[in-house]
Amino acid sequence: MWEYIEERAIKCAEYIVETGCTVRACSAHFSISKSTVHKDVSERLKYIDETLYEQTRLVLNQNLSERHIRGGIATKEKYSARSAKKNK
């Protein structure tokens, strides 16, 4: 594997573990696509650094289990903002 891909995968994984962020937030932080981040941390990282891969998997699994809650909160905020605009 090319060196810059390995470095990118490690940087993304370390960022996810440190901040607990989602793949989407990581991709925005590093200005790369979500697909690239996902492939780096879920496939390539396994062969580069298995310990870091396991730590990253824990964070991503937690994010996956909380996804529906964050979506509900975002929807509530969206319609609350619309309601507030109407009432002005």
Side-chain angles (χ1 to χ4, degrees):
M1 194 176 313
W2 292 337
E3 190 173 323
Y4 79 95
I5 294 175
E6 291 179 1
E7 290 175 9
R8 182 183 66 210
I10 291 171
K11 285 180 184 177
C12 287
E14 288 174 344
Y15 182 73
I16 289 172
V17 170
E18 289 172 8
T19 62
C21 71
T22 61
V23 169
R24 183 177 294 223
C26 183
S27 70
H29 178 78
F30 290 105
S31 300
I32 53 179
S33 74
K34 294 182 300 184
S35 301
T36 301
V37 172
H38 189 268
K39 183 148 183 113
D40 283 350
V41 298
S42 64
E43 293 179 19
R44 294 180 177 132
L45 189 62
K46 189 184 322 181
Y47 303 106
I48 300 169
D49 185 346
E50 197 167 334
T51 305
L52 185 58
Y53 169 77
E54 293 297 328
Q55 293 171 344
T56 307
R57 257 337 311 157
L58 291 174
V59 174
L60 294 179
N61 287 339
Q62 180 181 355
N63 288 341
L64 181 64
S65 68
E66 296 172 350
R67 181 174 58 187
H68 68 285
I69 296 170
R70 284 193 303 270
I73 291 170
T75 302
K76 180 180 177 183
E77 290 174 358
K78 173 183 172 182
Y79 287 107
S80 293
R82 281 187 182 178
S83 170
K85 283 184 180 180
K86 270 188 173 179
N87 293 333
K88 280 189 171 183

